């Protein structure tokens, strides 16, 4: 049976036995046509194909600039095709068994620039201190001060949004420049608290007391079932602020502020282990995703301080 007929038989099996959709079958057909073309160039066919052929084909796809997800889709099609041939007794083995799917690159976190964070914070601060006439209602002032305190504290500490909205009211007692946060796994850690964040919290609590909620055990109380402001409420108000500033709503969220905190302090020289502790990551590999922000700074450090940085091609030294 020709290679083309083998693929047709496989696709028919996929349609009848698995109920594969037309779009799925079309995709498999294109990927397998690519595979068959590779085999023809290698002087092989689906029955004589070896694991080395599969590996070379995957390397060829990578060389053509295919994304890891596309490569993985090709391999899936090839793997299911050869398992079909094995199940039908047309082959005695599966040449794809020892070939690993390409690893997907871990998505980099979306990060706001320092200027963008400054705009968010300063606008929120201005709203919180706004004394326009006629004066805003108590509810409006309370919401503005709450948002400013949330943004200022999120960026100052790098806390998870769930940790932030559930802070107890006692968190701002005393003058200690840090907070004790209870994070994942009920683990406690210290996080820094700037004077601006503390002042924003104090102003927020004053409005809470004015609204008659001063006895709440939560720093950010609400009438929700949880008793404190929800992540959704914070995200909603933050996105509304971002839209006012002309920032894309999809680029701004409470979690993005956490990313900004980590990226910005790394860019200013913080140690990766320290950032791991501040973020509450159990494994430093989770924190290492933020090291993309260090590329330019590290390059500058090497070019400035490495003893060979100023060596010219003729063996002399430059002024660097």
């Amino acid at each position: 049976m020709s290679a083309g007929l083998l693929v047709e038989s496989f696709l028919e099996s996929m349609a009848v036995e698995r109920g594969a959709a037309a779009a799925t079958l079309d995709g498999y057909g294109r990927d397998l046509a690519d595979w068959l073309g590779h085999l023809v160039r290698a002087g092989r066919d689906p029955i004589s194909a070896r694991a080395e052929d599969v590996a070379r084909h995957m390397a060829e796809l990578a060389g053509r600039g295919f994304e890891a997800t596309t490569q993985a889709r090709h391999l899936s099609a090839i793997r299911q095709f050869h398992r079909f041939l094995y199940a039908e007794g047309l082959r005695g083995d599966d040449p794809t068994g020892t070939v690993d799917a390409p690893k997907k690159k871990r998505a980099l976190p979306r990060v706001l620039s320092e200027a963008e964070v400054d705009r968010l914070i300063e606008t929120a601060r201005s709203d919180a201190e706004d004394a326009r006439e006629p004066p805003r209602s108590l509810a409006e002032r309370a919401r503005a001060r709450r948002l400013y305190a949330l943004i200022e504290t999120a960026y100052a500490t790098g806390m998870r949004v769930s940790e932030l909205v559930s802070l107890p009211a006692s968190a701002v007692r005393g003058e200690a420049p840090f907070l004790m946060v209870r994070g994942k796994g009920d683990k406690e850690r210290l996080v820094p608290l700037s004077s601006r964040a503390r002042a924003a919290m104090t102003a927020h609590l004053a409005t809470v007391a004015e609204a008659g909620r001063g006895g709440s055990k939560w720093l950010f109380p609400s009438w929700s079932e949880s008793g404190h402001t929800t992540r959704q409420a914070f995200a909603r108000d933050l996105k509304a602020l971002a839209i006012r500033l002309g920032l894309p709503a999809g680029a701004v969220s409470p979690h993005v502020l956490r990313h900004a905190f980590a990226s910005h302090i790394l860019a200013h020289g913080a140690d990766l282990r320290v950032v791991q502790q501040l973020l509450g990551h159990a494994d430093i590999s989770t924190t290492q995703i933020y090291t993309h922000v260090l590329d330019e700074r590290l390059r500058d450090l090497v070019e400035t301080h490495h003893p060979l940085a100023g060596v010219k091609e003729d063996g002399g030294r430059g002024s660097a």
Side-chain angles (χ1 to χ4, degrees):
M1 187 181 295
S2 70
L5 288 177
L6 288 175
V7 170
E8 287 185 16
S9 297
F10 165 68
L11 295 177
E12 182 179 351
S13 171
M14 289 285 292
V16 175
E17 297 179 12
R18 300 191 185 183
T24 300
L25 295 175
D26 288 343
Y28 273 52
R30 288 191 299 271
D31 293 346
L32 290 175
D34 210 356
W35 168 232
L36 294 185
H38 175 83
L39 289 178
V40 168
R41 292 190 295 275
R44 297 190 181 280
D45 58 35
I47 304 303
S48 62
R50 301 178 302 184
E52 293 84 350
D53 297 311
V54 181
R56 289 193 188 98
H57 180 54
M58 298 307 298
E60 180 184 280
L61 294 177
R64 286 157 60 183
F66 285 17
E67 295 289 341
T69 52
T70 304
Q71 296 175 48
R73 190 197 69 213
H74 274 254
L75 181 57
S76 176
I78 296 168
R79 180 167 282 146
Q80 293 194 57
F81 173 53
H82 281 281
R83 286 176 178 173
F84 166 78
L85 297 181
Y86 176 78
E88 293 295 311
L90 298 173
R91 283 195 61 126
D93 65 343
D94 174 8
T96 70
T98 59
V99 180
D100 295 327
K103 293 183 178 179
K104 299 179 183 179
K105 291 182 179 179
R106 189 171 184 181
L108 294 176
R110 180 180 288 138
V111 177
L112 294 171
S113 69
E114 292 183 40
E116 289 170 331
V117 175
D118 283 344
R119 288 175 62 200
L120 282 170
I121 290 177
E122 287 308 307
T123 304
R125 182 188 60 78
S126 178
D127 287 346
E129 297 177 353
D130 193 1
R132 291 174 300 181
E133 295 294 339
R136 291 176 297 176
S137 68
L138 177 59
E140 290 174 328
R141 286 189 287 117
R143 186 169 176 174
R145 288 185 174 180
R146 181 186 69 184
L147 179 60
Y148 173 50
L150 284 167
I151 294 174
E152 191 78 73
T153 308
Y155 185 57
T157 64
M159 278 191 284
R160 299 178 179 90
V161 62
S162 57
E163 298 168 344
L164 176 59
V165 297
S166 61
L167 281 173
S170 59
V172 293
R173 292 176 183 168
E175 298 299 326
F178 54 81
L179 293 174
M180 181 67 73
V181 177
R182 190 178 299 277
K184 286 186 176 180
D186 212 29
K187 294 180 179 178
E188 292 185 334
R189 71 182 190 280
L190 288 176
V191 297
L193 185 63
S194 67
S195 57
R196 285 177 33 152
R198 182 177 290 279
M201 286 183 176
T202 301
H204 158 70
L205 285 178
T207 311
V208 167
E210 188 179 352
R213 298 297 307 281
S216 173
K217 69 175 183 177
W218 305 110
L219 180 59
F220 300 103
S222 77
W223 298 108
S224 66
E225 184 177 347
S226 63
H228 56 70
T229 298
T230 64
R231 296 177 298 170
Q232 294 82 359
F234 181 19
R236 177 199 63 215
D237 292 346
L238 182 59
K239 286 184 183 295
L241 178 62
I243 292 171
R244 283 173 49 198
L245 294 175
L247 299 174
V252 182
S253 70
H255 201 61
V256 167
L257 290 177
R258 175 171 161 88
H259 291 326
F261 163 82
S263 298
H264 295 171
I265 63 173
L266 274 171
H268 283 278
D271 181 84
L272 192 64
R273 288 286 182 184
V274 173
V275 177
Q276 176 193 2
Q277 294 173 3
L278 293 175
L279 293 177
H281 287 160
D283 193 327
I284 197 169
S285 64
T286 307
T287 318
Q288 285 173 334
I289 194 172
Y290 295 102
T291 57
H292 70 284
V293 304
L294 298 178
D295 291 345
E296 185 175 346
R297 186 169 68 87
L298 291 177
R299 191 181 306 114
D300 290 342
L301 283 172
V302 171
E303 290 177 353
T304 301
H305 300 292
H306 195 284
L308 299 181
V311 175
K312 298 179 179 179
E313 291 184 1
D314 61 3
R317 285 185 177 272
S319 58

